[in-house]
Amino acid sequence: MNVAFLVAPEGVEQVELTDPWQAVKEAGGTPVLVSTDSGTVRAFHHLDRADTFPVDKVVGGTGVSEYDALVLPGGVANPDALRLDERAVAFVRGFFDAGKPVAAICHAPWTLVEADVVRGRTLTSWPSLRTDIRNAGGKWVDEPVKVCTAGPTTLVTSRKPDDLKAFREAFLAVFRRVPHP
């Protein structure tokens, strides 16, 4: 199971990257850090600078066909930067076009809104995104994790770091059902 983790060069919430990353590794999968620039990405603990992580692949130099699934970690600045990058938005949209599962936590659904893939979907997120999700045609719910199968792509969403255990369990259950060539 090859899983792309898409993040901006700066602003990802560290625990929302490292916890799901470790879960994929422990499940026998291969997590791949994809970003809009090469080098490293700077994570944050809320508003405080945290660790850096090496980028494995750059959007534009990799494609959806290389992965079985996508994880979108949150952080306020991370998805805001991603949704301004056309290549990142197209990469996300590509998973939906290919019917491959996507998991997004906290503020990450902002990138989904930009990719125009929430219409007709039920999802959760950090509460401040609820109006954006509704305006994009989605239904927002306040639940620790939501698995939406209303479409060829299963979408797993979660609200915040406190929900990481439920998020992990839900997206791993979905990702395990994906046929691997």
Side-chain angles (χ1 to χ4, degrees):
M1 170 174 48
N2 288 323
V3 180
F5 282 72
L6 178 62
V7 299
E10 187 170 58
V12 66
E13 184 68 31
Q14 183 160 316
V15 71
E16 293 175 5
L17 170 63
T18 57
D19 184 277
W21 182 280
Q22 188 61 34
V24 168
K25 285 180 73 169
E26 289 173 3
T30 303
V32 179
L33 189 60
V34 179
S35 189
T36 54
D37 290 324
S38 61
T40 59
V41 297
R42 167 68 66 182
F44 279 73
H45 292 298
H46 303 293
L47 300 176
D48 298 324
R49 292 167 61 93
D51 299 325
T52 59
F53 299 90
V55 172
D56 297 314
K57 301 269 186 158
V58 175
V59 170
T62 191
V64 172
S65 64
E66 297 178 44
Y67 308 100
D68 300 303
L70 172 65
V71 173
L72 296 169
V76 177
N78 176 52
D80 195 50
L82 288 177
R83 66 187 183 160
L84 292 175
D85 187 294
E86 291 177 14
R87 297 168 307 151
V89 172
F91 186 71
V92 171
R93 191 177 306 111
F95 280 84
F96 285 83
D97 292 344
K100 295 184 177 187
V102 174
I105 187 168
C106 204
H107 289 81
W110 265 338
T111 310
L112 300 176
V113 166
E114 190 66 31
D116 194 23
V117 295
V118 302
R119 189 172 321 284
R121 299 292 192 130
T122 301
L123 59 156
T124 192
S125 68
W126 186 254
S128 66
L129 277 67
R130 90 178 136 244
T131 301
D132 298 322
I133 290 167
R134 288 176 181 153
N135 287 344
K139 178 183 177 189
W140 186 85
V141 294
D142 185 11
E143 298 175 12
V145 68
K146 181 64 183 170
V147 178
C148 180
T149 57
T153 297
T154 300
L155 176 61
V156 180
T157 52
S158 196
R159 300 176 302 192
K160 58 188 172 183
D162 289 347
D163 299 331
L164 276 165
K165 183 178 185 304
F167 181 59
R168 245 188 344 261
E169 291 170 358
F171 81 70
L172 284 175
V174 168
F175 289 6
R176 285 185 181 116
R177 292 192 300 260
V178 174
H180 307 292

